[in-house]
Amino acid sequence: METVLSGIRPTGNLHLGNYFGALKNFVQMQNEYNCYFFIADYHSLTTHPTPHNLTGNVREILAEYLAAGLDPEKAVIYIQSDVPEVAELYLFLNMNAYVGELERCTSFKDKIRQQPHNVNAGLLTYPTLMAADILLHRANKVPVGKDQEQHLEMTRTFANRFNRMYNVDYFPEPQAFNFGNELIKIPGLNGTGKMGKSEGEGNAIFLSDEPEAIRKKVMKAVTDAGPTRPHQEKSQPIENLFKLMKAVSNAETLAYFEEQYDSCQIKYGEMKKQLAEDMIAFTAPFRDKIKELLENKEYLSNVARMGKEKAQENARKTIRDVREIIGFRSL
Ligand code: TRP
């Protein structure tokens, strides 16, 4: 069976964009693939060198993963730092990664612009750590968004280079994967691009948000002056509201507001109220489950331990093989 692997950095709570963009698919994938889903806490140190409440953030993401339907009996759900074998593979891959190719990576160039005061070697070698995550489990498929495609391409480069250098056929070439589903890009509430935690306060609706917080954010969502002619093309902010509605509301509700828009009768306040209530109803089961899980520390720690054991078993095998391939043998 093919192996699917994905990681997420614990730098904020999961939002509807994460859910529709990936998580929802993970829930299906775990039935058909050998899945590894992990929390990339080592990676978070590249941007958050002195993380506030690292363990707490990791625990929250774990609870949110489980609340969204990831099943520790079906998939291996683990915390990156629980499997330090990845650090050894990262070291090996770094020996054959060229500074030039790492410097040319788009995400590195973005990051040095964003944090010029902290251009650390971890940022430069972010792609080799990510490659190590993937190759550690010899994953075939990696569900990634556009922003991670270059990292995946670099992973293929590193895998092929390793195979060539040591004249083996050990690492498979991981491919991007979306489970055949058209991925829905969920926009944020600020009228511009996609939903994201880094796009500013109020742009994202988190799975754990309380109803009042959702109402507040949605009511503040950016709109425009309203259509002045029938079937007018929608501005970006309005297009975004409709996309969000399409994701969480039922078809009749969506059709009603489409009709109101097309006939220039739409009241954005009314639409937002409805959208907020539908988002609240949609997220309610997640929110309740997240709360319940966070209160059950023992269960969460058991899930983490189980994931660690399974991931480590596979990781140790890979490290044993790789050491052998490179030529580390006992004297
Ligand atoms: N870089 C990914 C992100 O920021 C997170 C990540 C780390 C990852 N290691 C991975 C994703 C391995 C897929 C596979 O979204």
Side-chain angles (χ1 to χ4, degrees):
M1 201 197 296
E2 283 192 308
T3 296
V4 171
L5 175 137
S6 180
I8 183 157
R9 278 172 298 132
T11 51
N13 294 95
L14 296 182
H15 49 71
L16 287 176
N18 299 123
Y19 181 74
F20 287 106
L23 256 179
K24 198 179 162 198
N25 271 345
F26 294 176
V27 176
Q28 292 179 20
M29 285 174 199
Q30 62 186 352
N31 295 318
E32 291 177 41
Y33 293 91
N34 186 16
C35 288
Y36 290 85
F37 299 119
F38 74 97
I39 301 169
D41 54 352
Y42 281 155
H43 269 113
S44 69
L45 299 181
T46 60
T47 52
H48 296 66
T50 52
H52 168 71
N53 192 15
L54 183 56
T55 309
N57 290 337
V58 168
R59 190 183 294 117
E60 282 180 26
I61 301 263
L62 179 60
E64 288 164 357
Y65 258 7
L66 299 172
L70 294 197
D71 182 347
E73 301 291 335
K74 295 179 183 166
V76 181
I77 304 167
Y78 71 100
I79 298 159
Q80 189 182 33
S81 64
D82 272 345
V83 186
E85 284 76 8
V86 75
E88 188 171 348
L89 186 56
Y90 168 57
L91 179 151
F92 290 144
L93 294 176
N94 272 331
M95 298 300 171
N96 301 329
Y98 303 113
V99 172
E101 66 190 333
L102 295 169
E103 281 173 338
R104 280 193 296 277
C105 181
T106 314
S107 66
F108 178 66
K109 291 194 227 161
D110 287 346
K111 279 288 179 291
I112 62 181
R113 238 174 284 128
Q114 287 163 16
Q115 53 180 64
H117 53 284
N118 182 19
V119 183
N120 60 71
L123 274 184
L124 181 68
T125 56
Y126 188 109
T128 49
L129 181 54
M130 180 158 160
D133 291 326
I134 297 168
L135 300 177
L136 189 64
H137 297 295
R138 300 168 75 195
N140 311 94
K141 291 178 152 50
V142 183
V144 287
K146 268 248 165 298
D147 61 326
Q148 299 295 317
E149 267 170 13
Q150 192 180 26
H151 290 155
L152 194 56
E153 184 61 42
M154 291 171 85
T155 303
R156 286 192 283 269
T157 301
F158 299 146
N160 288 330
R161 189 176 294 158
F162 180 95
N163 289 345
R164 217 174 328 104
M165 285 182 102
Y166 303 108
N167 198 17
V168 288
D169 187 17
Y170 187 68
F171 289 124
E173 262 197 10
Q175 304 299 329
F177 182 53
N178 63 14
F179 204 61
N181 295 337
E182 179 75 50
L183 286 190
I184 316 169
K185 288 252 178 324
I186 293 290
L189 295 166
N190 64 9
T192 58
K194 66 175 187 180
M195 184 174 283
K197 57 202 166 203
S198 49
E199 318 302 317
E201 191 68 28
N203 184 49
I205 300 290
F206 297 99
L207 298 183
S208 56
D209 269 348
E210 294 293 338
E212 221 19 69
I214 295 179
R215 281 190 198 105
K216 259 208 193 112
K217 289 188 214 177
V218 175
M219 294 317 286
K220 277 196 194 149
V222 176
T223 55
D224 62 16
T228 51
R229 38 193 174 77
H231 299 278
Q232 187 174 318
E233 206 185 308
K234 296 187 185 92
S235 66
Q236 181 78 58
I238 301 308
E239 184 67 41
N240 290 356
L241 284 188
F242 274 96
K243 266 201 191 137
L244 288 166
M245 187 166 249
K246 185 162 192 247
V248 298
S249 304
N250 64 36
E252 294 84 70
T253 304
L254 182 67
Y256 169 79
F257 285 103
E258 289 279 8
E259 200 278 319
Q260 292 282 299
Y261 181 89
D262 283 338
S263 59
C264 302
Q265 288 171 301
I266 192 156
K267 294 194 185 69
Y268 291 140
E270 186 195 344
M271 179 179 181
K272 286 179 180 181
K273 249 190 209 144
Q274 181 69 45
L275 178 60
E277 293 316 308
D278 289 343
M279 279 183 168
I280 290 165
F282 184 84
T283 52
F286 298 117
R287 182 170 50 250
D288 294 347
K289 190 81 197 165
I290 292 166
K291 269 195 200 141
E292 183 192 315
L293 286 162
L294 284 174
E295 277 161 22
N296 197 343
K297 282 201 177 174
E298 198 185 319
Y299 176 73
L300 289 180
S301 112
N302 278 337
V303 169
R305 189 171 32 77
M306 210 167 90
K308 170 188 161 109
E309 279 166 14
K310 290 193 211 159
Q312 209 158 29
E313 190 184 316
N314 199 40
R316 287 191 171 141
K317 181 179 180 314
T318 302
I319 292 298
R320 221 182 303 124
D321 292 345
V322 168
R323 281 174 160 250
E324 173 78 25
I325 289 167
I326 296 179
F328 291 99
R329 299 192 185 116
S330 48
L331 294 181

